[in-house]
Amino acid sequence: MSPMMRLFAASSSVILFASAGAEAQQRSGWAWQIDGLAVYQGNAGLSGGGEFSAERAFLRTGALYRFDSGASAGLFLSYGQFSYDFSLAGNQPWDRIRDVRITAPVQFSVGESASVFISPQVRWDYEDGASSSDGRTYGVFAGIVWQVNPNLRIGPAFGAFSELGTNDTEVFPALLVDWDIAPRWNLSTGTGLGATQGPGVILSYQHTDAVSFSLGARSERVRFRLDNTGLAPGGVGEDQSIPVALSVDYAPNPGVRISAFVGAEFDGRLTLDSATGAQISRQDYDTAPIVGFAARIRF
């Protein structure tokens, strides 16, 4: 993935970015959070023949501790599962993928208008039957945002992450934006629950105090270690696409948010590499419909 297609690598970083401007207004102590996500991707034709569908489920839990100074530190544990169903017998490159992450975000203020955050992450992506240690990657995402005016926070960031199947460390720049462009309208960058190492842009409209609508697009890319059977024993699989979704969010109180969304995945591609790093196959897939549900509880 090119650096311009990388923005928010650690999913818990967005928690700090979203709350950095409001830390002083929140009480000190522990704030706990539980998130859930379920997504279904409909059938998509493959350029090499056949088609596939996929299901994705994700659960994250953890907490942030807010200090009297306004700084915060937290720990989040998440577990996800990707289930793929390929139509052609004998041409199933992988089946069920596990995604486990641990992040430890830290945020603190610098001066009166800037906030710094640092979010290290360890992640395991591997097929059922493979060793979790063979799917481990790690890295850090960090940045600084300035409160330019009451309606705009913006700042640079960078990420440095290892990549599965190579010995390289990828370093990339990023830009963070949280902009109230008009009454009830907001444009922001960042990720959502279960997001991979790709950027996201969201335009949202606050219809009422409890109901909002948003249009989001992001670049998704996930690489995972395969088991010792199948088309590429011990190799690496990759699923990359650009999902675009329209969402309706319902937040009856500050501690609960429920979302439902519908959209499509564009520019999809599946790649299969051998254990030695040689590419075995690369197949594009057609635009695929997606529908999903997400929920968040804070207490």
Side-chain angles (χ1 to χ4, degrees), residues 81-96:
Q81 185 167 283
F82 307 79
S83 299
Y84 291 82
D85 184 13
F86 292 84
S87 64
L88 293 180
N91 190 32
Q92 175 123 355
W94 54 75
D95 183 9
R96 185 174 295 125

Side-chain angles (χ1 to χ4, degrees), residues 9 12 15 17 32 43 69 71 94 99 108 117 121 167 180 189 202 219 227 241 250 263 265 281:
S12 291
I15 298 170
F17 179 49
W32 297 84
N43 285 330
S69 64
W94 54 75
D99 180 322
F108 56 91
F117 68 87
Q121 179 187 86
N167 294 320
D180 293 328
T189 57
I202 300 174
S219 176
D227 63 19
S241 66
Y250 175 62
E265 290 189 345
S281 71

